[in-house]
């Protein structure tokens, strides 16, 4: 065993020695961390013995037990002024705290004299970084990334102690579940010490869908006054379509220069759009005066134009595009805040299949892997920086006025090359806060940030999402002062103000930055869709935090449950967003709507399911969602009712059939266009569950330590139909180089944990999420439950 260990060490050292020949190294630092929950004094960290092994991304809060509201607390946070409000309903009923991460790093002696950075995509919610006991950096707003130069703190050829403290801050420092810890990727970056590209160095713009302009920011600590840069433009297949190599004068008045490189006219460019998200790559190489390569950087981009104006809303490549979107927080259901690219991709593909083309990043920057996937899949993003311009909602440790000047450039420079980003948003629902800096309802902070934003990107419009109750301070008939100065007028929920405000101020361009489920339909069809930018429906995927009351652990008003199963109302969205795709689905009302007020907006949503296992003789109200011209409702072969669709925004694509008597067998909804059947949905009465059915969500599972496999478990009857009443407890066991990272069943009211190896079926379904190891392996997941035969699914990582 010792001999194998020595051989392995020699092999790793050999790889490190070879890697140093490269001008830039970007080393994944996600694996092999140790974690401790709770407070530690950094000076006595070696006395702490309770550490466990983890890999990044990691959310330590998702592992914490639920905290039931105390006897003196409300079950929700609807009354913020009350002395009996719930502390933790906003934060997902998880206790706040801090977690410590520790990892040993032995840099090769050959790296001495190099510039070595540790790069964090984010630390939730605030964080500090130590190297060998010395504080070297940190973050006061964990949604944006940062780097620390640790070149002079490292001992080369020896183990170094890298320690990170992450704190979720106070319970009142966010209005939703944030997660906590190293929730995004960590990297070690090695460059030349004297001549290199700075952080986020490239700025790529396209003009008239043909001219490509590239700006590169270079740091020069040498005495040379000339730097040589070679730029190459590559197509999606890696073929070179343009190239230039040129000397550029460097001004030593500043250590970094932003150099405008040669522009390229691309003949017949392949444009980026939602249906064909084609990506090019810019590669820029930096040389010293002797012709030696000192650094290389690459950046993907798309060739496309964005226009925004009051007469058409938004145009992509000269064609009108309506934003049909979602506004959700950054978390990923049972995975918490841990930013797994595969989990993000799964969500995006689900949304795409229902007609979504837009994401608003409420209310903070998402991970860069999210934007990479939006570029790849053709989503349009309104990229948002803050919730409120207040210390309380921006980390809570350092005054907001002291951090925005770092956060804003870091955010813009990271995201500005992504073709998916079509608009910037600096904040959300803040113009009603009288305690904002400068006491003018946000006008001065906006005017302060706007020119800084434009300094780093002048190609996109800028907005702020307005609070629904935040009209003009003097008269409610006028927009607030902040809305009068933003490039785009973004109103949360108040689409009904668009016509009147446009009549008074014809230069305004409107975007419904949040829309609610209760008014789904009218809040879409009542807008002038030819002139507005579009809308983003709030919370359409259920999420942790912002609970309307225990035992719900979070928001449950979405169109998809927290495990990503569509609810019946999701098919109303699909009917609206995909009008040329005949769609039909049934929603049987299980519970009449209870009216709830949230943020000044009334929610009045019915609870529905689509199964046909009901109480014999009982009558039900049945909703059918369809974009077909006519819908017929059939029970056991007999048509019991039919209705015509309407253009009335209040009822369009919604069909209500009242007092329909349940009879075992089946219920079917059929949609007709031009008297021809074009869509149908059928739900059958099932028999007793007899078997567990295991369904993997993808065929290729990478052995990269990060890739996920989602396994859906259904309880089915003898005909393979999912049995909605099955609620058996499942036990999972995994063999091979993979592990269980989350379990779920879509029931946000459950007191079961999202971590562990057990979960009950809910409505006949459950979900287990596996994380691949880093060795190609055969994987076997075994699922056991009382009353069922043990089932196994065999998988493989590559």
């Amino acid at each position: 065993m010792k001999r194998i260990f020595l051989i392995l060490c020699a092999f790793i050292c050999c790889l490190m020695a070879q890697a140093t020949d490269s001008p830039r190294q970007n080393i994944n630092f996600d694996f092999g961390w140790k974690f401790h929950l709770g407070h530690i004094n950094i000076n006595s960290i070696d006395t702490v013995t309770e550490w466990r092994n983890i890999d990044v991304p990691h959310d330590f809060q998702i592992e914490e037990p639920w905290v039931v509201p105390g006897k003196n607390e409300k079950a929700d946070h609807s009354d913020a002024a009350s002395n009996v409000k719930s502390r933790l309903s906003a934060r997902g009923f998880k206790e706040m705290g801090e977690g410590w991460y520790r990892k040993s790093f032995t840099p090769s002696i050959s790296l001495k004299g190099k510039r070595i950075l540790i790069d964090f995509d984010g630390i939730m919610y605030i964080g500090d970084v130590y190297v060998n006991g010395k504080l070297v950096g940190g973050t006061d707003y964990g949604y944006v990334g940062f780097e620390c130069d640790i070149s002079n703190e490292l001992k080369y050829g020896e183990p170094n102690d890298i320690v990170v403290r992450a704190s979720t801050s106070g319970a009142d420092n966010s209005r939703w579940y944030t997660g906590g810890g190293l929730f995004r990727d960590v990297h070690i970056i090695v460059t030349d010490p004297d001549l290199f590209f700075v952080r986020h160095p490239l700025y790529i713009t396209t003009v008239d869908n043909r001219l490509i302009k590239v700006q590169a920011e270079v740091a020069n600590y040498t005495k040379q006054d000339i730097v040589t840069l070679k730029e190459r433009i590559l197509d999606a297949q890696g073929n070179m379509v343009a190239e230039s190599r040129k000397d550029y004068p460097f001004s030593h008045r500043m250590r970094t220069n932003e150099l405008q490189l040669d522009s390229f006219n691309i003949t017949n460019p392949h444009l980026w759009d939602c249906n064909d998200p084609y990506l090019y790559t810019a590669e820029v190489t930096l040389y010293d005066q002797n012709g030696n390569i000192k650094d290389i950087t690459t950046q993907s981009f798309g060739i496309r134009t964005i226009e925004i104006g009051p007469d058409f809303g938004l145009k992509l490549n000269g064609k009108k595009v309506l934003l049909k979107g979602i506004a959700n927080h950054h978390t990923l259901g049972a995975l918490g805040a841990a930013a797994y690219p595969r989990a993000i991709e799964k969500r995006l593909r689900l949304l795409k299949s229902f007609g979504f083309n837009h994401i608003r990043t409420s209310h903070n920057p998402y991970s860069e892997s999210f934007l990479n996937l939006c570029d790849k899949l053709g989503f349009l993003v309104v990229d948002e920086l803050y919730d409120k311009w207040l210390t309380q909602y921006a980390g809570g440790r350092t005054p907001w006025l002291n951090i925005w000047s770092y956060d804003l450039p870091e955010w813009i420079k990271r995201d500005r090359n992504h073709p998916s980003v079509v608009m910037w948003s600096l904040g959300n629902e803040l113009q009603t806060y009288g305690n904002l800096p400068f006491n003018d309802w946000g006008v001065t902070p906006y005017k302060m940030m706007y020119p800084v934003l434009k300094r780093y990107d002048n190609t996109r419009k800028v907005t702020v999402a307005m609070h629904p109750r935040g009209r003009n301070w003097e008269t409610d008939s006028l927009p607030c002062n902040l809305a009068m100065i933003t490039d785009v007028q973004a109103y949360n929920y108040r689409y009904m103000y668009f016509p009147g405000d446009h009549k008074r101020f014809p230069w305004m361009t409107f975007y419904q930055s949040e829309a609610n489920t209760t008014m789904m339909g009218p809040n879409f069809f009542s807008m002038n869709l030819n002139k507005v930018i579009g809308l983003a429906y709030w919370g359409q995927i259920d999420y942790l935090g912002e609970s309307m009351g225990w035992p719900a652990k979070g928001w449950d008003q979405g169109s998809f449950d927290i495990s990503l199963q569509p609810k019946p109302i999701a098919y109303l969205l699909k009917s609206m967003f995909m009008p040329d795709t005949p769609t039909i689905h049934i929603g049987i009302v299980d519970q009449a709507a209870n009216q709830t007020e949230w943020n000044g907006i009334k929610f009045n949503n019915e609870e529905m399911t689509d199964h046909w296992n009901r109480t014999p003789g009982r009558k039900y109200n049945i909703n059918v969602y369809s974009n077909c011209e006519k819908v017929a409702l059939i029970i056991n072969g007999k048509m019991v009712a039919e209705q015509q669709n309407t253009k009335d925004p209040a009822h369009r694509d919604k069909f209500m059939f009242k007092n329909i008597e349940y009879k075992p067998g089946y219920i079917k909804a059929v949609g007709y266009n031009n008297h021809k059947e074009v869509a149908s949905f059928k739900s059958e009465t099932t028999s007793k569950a007899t078997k567990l059915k295991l369904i993997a969500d993808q065929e290729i599972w990478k052995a990269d330590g990060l890739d996920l496999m989602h396994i859906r478990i259904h309880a089915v009857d003898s005909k393979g139909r999912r049995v909605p009443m099955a609620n058996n407890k499942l036990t999972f066991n995994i063999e091979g180089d993979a592990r269980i990272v989350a379990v779920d069943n879509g029931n946000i009211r459950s007191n079961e944990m999202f971590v562990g190896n057990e979960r009950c079926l809910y409505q006949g379904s459950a979900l287990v999420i596996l994380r691949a190891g880093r060795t190609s392996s055969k994987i076997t997941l075994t699922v056991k439950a009382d009353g069922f035969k043990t089932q196994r699914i065999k998988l493989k990582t590559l």
Side-chain angles (χ1 to χ4, degrees), residues 580-595:
D580 296 329
T581 301
T583 298
I584 196 165
H585 203 87
I586 288 173
I588 302 161
V589 178
D590 297 309
Q591 182 174 319
N594 292 319
Q595 190 173 93

mmCIF file of all heavy atoms in Angstrom, residues 580-595:
data_model
loop_
_atom_site.group_PDB
_atom_site.id
_atom_site.type_symbol
_atom_site.label_atom_id
_atom_site.label_comp_id
_atom_site.label_asym_id
_atom_site.label_seq_id
_atom_site.Cartn_x
_atom_site.Cartn_y
_atom_site.Cartn_z
ATOM 1 N N ASP A 580 -48.928 27.750 -30.931
ATOM 2 C CA ASP A 580 -48.973 26.949 -32.151
ATOM 3 C C ASP A 580 -48.826 25.451 -31.895
ATOM 4 O O ASP A 580 -48.858 24.646 -32.833
ATOM 5 C CB ASP A 580 -47.879 27.410 -33.114
ATOM 6 C CG ASP A 580 -48.088 28.842 -33.575
ATOM 7 O OD1 ASP A 580 -49.257 29.263 -33.675
ATOM 8 O OD2 ASP A 580 -47.078 29.548 -33.800
ATOM 9 N N THR A 581 -48.649 25.088 -30.621
ATOM 10 C CA THR A 581 -48.557 23.675 -30.243
ATOM 11 C C THR A 581 -49.825 23.290 -29.490
ATOM 12 O O THR A 581 -50.023 23.723 -28.350
ATOM 13 C CB THR A 581 -47.329 23.420 -29.348
ATOM 14 O OG1 THR A 581 -46.140 23.801 -30.040
ATOM 15 C CG2 THR A 581 -47.244 21.955 -28.946
ATOM 16 N N PRO A 582 -50.720 22.522 -30.093
ATOM 17 C CA PRO A 582 -51.952 22.150 -29.396
ATOM 18 C C PRO A 582 -51.655 21.481 -28.060
ATOM 19 O O PRO A 582 -50.897 20.505 -27.988
ATOM 20 C CB PRO A 582 -52.643 21.196 -30.368
ATOM 21 C CG PRO A 582 -52.111 21.587 -31.712
ATOM 22 C CD PRO A 582 -50.684 21.972 -31.468
ATOM 23 N N THR A 583 -52.234 22.026 -27.015
ATOM 24 C CA THR A 583 -51.954 21.577 -25.649
ATOM 25 C C THR A 583 -53.273 21.390 -24.916
ATOM 26 O O THR A 583 -54.207 22.186 -25.097
ATOM 27 C CB THR A 583 -51.086 22.620 -24.912
ATOM 28 O OG1 THR A 583 -49.837 22.747 -25.592
ATOM 29 C CG2 THR A 583 -50.844 22.211 -23.462
ATOM 30 N N ILE A 584 -53.342 20.373 -24.069
ATOM 31 C CA ILE A 584 -54.527 20.178 -23.248
ATOM 32 C C ILE A 584 -54.141 19.389 -21.998
ATOM 33 O O ILE A 584 -53.294 18.483 -22.061
ATOM 34 C CB ILE A 584 -55.651 19.464 -24.039
ATOM 35 C CG1 ILE A 584 -56.987 19.607 -23.320
ATOM 36 C CG2 ILE A 584 -55.309 18.013 -24.318
ATOM 37 C CD1 ILE A 584 -58.183 19.247 -24.203
ATOM 38 N N HIS A 585 -54.734 19.738 -20.863
ATOM 39 C CA HIS A 585 -54.458 19.023 -19.609
ATOM 40 C C HIS A 585 -55.599 19.296 -18.631
ATOM 41 O O HIS A 585 -56.236 20.351 -18.662
ATOM 42 C CB HIS A 585 -53.141 19.484 -18.988
ATOM 43 C CG HIS A 585 -52.537 18.469 -18.073
ATOM 44 N ND1 HIS A 585 -51.705 17.466 -18.509
ATOM 45 C CD2 HIS A 585 -52.664 18.279 -16.728
ATOM 46 C CE1 HIS A 585 -51.324 16.722 -17.490
ATOM 47 N NE2 HIS A 585 -51.913 17.191 -16.389
ATOM 48 N N ILE A 586 -55.812 18.322 -17.757
ATOM 49 C CA ILE A 586 -56.892 18.395 -16.768
ATOM 50 C C ILE A 586 -56.312 18.721 -15.393
ATOM 51 O O ILE A 586 -55.256 18.207 -15.019
ATOM 52 C CB ILE A 586 -57.655 17.054 -16.711
ATOM 53 C CG1 ILE A 586 -58.500 16.861 -17.966
ATOM 54 C CG2 ILE A 586 -58.532 16.957 -15.460
ATOM 55 C CD1 ILE A 586 -59.155 15.496 -18.059
ATOM 56 N N GLY A 587 -57.041 19.548 -14.645
ATOM 57 C CA GLY A 587 -56.731 19.804 -13.245
ATOM 58 C C GLY A 587 -57.990 19.660 -12.413
ATOM 59 O O GLY A 587 -58.933 20.451 -12.557
ATOM 60 N N ILE A 588 -58.030 18.654 -11.561
ATOM 61 C CA ILE A 588 -59.210 18.397 -10.735
ATOM 62 C C ILE A 588 -59.011 19.077 -9.388
ATOM 63 O O ILE A 588 -57.992 18.869 -8.721
ATOM 64 C CB ILE A 588 -59.434 16.882 -10.565
ATOM 65 C CG1 ILE A 588 -59.598 16.239 -11.947
ATOM 66 C CG2 ILE A 588 -60.641 16.601 -9.683
ATOM 67 C CD1 ILE A 588 -59.381 14.756 -11.967
ATOM 68 N N VAL A 589 -59.964 19.905 -9.013
ATOM 69 C CA VAL A 589 -59.814 20.733 -7.815
ATOM 70 C C VAL A 589 -59.940 19.856 -6.574
ATOM 71 O O VAL A 589 -61.002 19.270 -6.309
ATOM 72 C CB VAL A 589 -60.850 21.867 -7.802
ATOM 73 C CG1 VAL A 589 -60.705 22.694 -6.522
ATOM 74 C CG2 VAL A 589 -60.688 22.758 -9.031
ATOM 75 N N ASP A 590 -58.854 19.774 -5.822
ATOM 76 C CA ASP A 590 -58.855 19.029 -4.562
ATOM 77 C C ASP A 590 -59.285 19.897 -3.399
ATOM 78 O O ASP A 590 -59.869 19.419 -2.436
ATOM 79 C CB ASP A 590 -57.452 18.484 -4.270
ATOM 80 C CG ASP A 590 -56.998 17.488 -5.311
ATOM 81 O OD1 ASP A 590 -57.759 16.550 -5.596
ATOM 82 O OD2 ASP A 590 -55.889 17.645 -5.844
ATOM 83 N N GLN A 591 -58.933 21.169 -3.472
ATOM 84 C CA GLN A 591 -59.243 22.092 -2.379
ATOM 85 C C GLN A 591 -59.514 23.465 -2.972
ATOM 86 O O GLN A 591 -58.747 23.955 -3.804
ATOM 87 C CB GLN A 591 -58.080 22.182 -1.388
ATOM 88 C CG GLN A 591 -58.346 23.087 -0.200
ATOM 89 C CD GLN A 591 -57.219 23.033 0.819
ATOM 90 O OE1 GLN A 591 -56.684 21.976 1.102
ATOM 91 N NE2 GLN A 591 -56.864 24.187 1.362
ATOM 92 N N ALA A 592 -60.629 24.059 -2.561
ATOM 93 C CA ALA A 592 -60.971 25.393 -3.047
ATOM 94 C C ALA A 592 -59.902 26.389 -2.637
ATOM 95 O O ALA A 592 -59.167 26.194 -1.651
ATOM 96 C CB ALA A 592 -62.335 25.808 -2.502
ATOM 97 N N ALA A 593 -59.814 27.453 -3.384
ATOM 98 C CA ALA A 593 -58.768 28.443 -3.156
ATOM 99 C C ALA A 593 -58.962 29.175 -1.835
ATOM 100 O O ALA A 593 -60.082 29.526 -1.459
ATOM 101 C CB ALA A 593 -58.745 29.435 -4.303
ATOM 102 N N ASN A 594 -57.859 29.357 -1.129
ATOM 103 C CA ASN A 594 -57.824 30.213 0.052
ATOM 104 C C ASN A 594 -57.058 31.474 -0.309
ATOM 105 O O ASN A 594 -55.929 31.402 -0.802
ATOM 106 C CB ASN A 594 -57.130 29.507 1.224
ATOM 107 C CG ASN A 594 -57.938 28.339 1.733
ATOM 108 O OD1 ASN A 594 -59.157 28.418 1.846
ATOM 109 N ND2 ASN A 594 -57.259 27.239 2.026
ATOM 110 N N GLN A 595 -57.659 32.624 -0.065
ATOM 111 C CA GLN A 595 -57.006 33.872 -0.443
ATOM 112 C C GLN A 595 -55.913 34.224 0.549
ATOM 113 O O GLN A 595 -56.115 34.173 1.754
ATOM 114 C CB GLN A 595 -58.020 35.013 -0.522
ATOM 115 C CG GLN A 595 -57.423 36.274 -1.141
ATOM 116 C CD GLN A 595 -58.472 37.335 -1.373
ATOM 117 O OE1 GLN A 595 -58.680 38.190 -0.517
ATOM 118 N NE2 GLN A 595 -59.146 37.287 -2.517
#
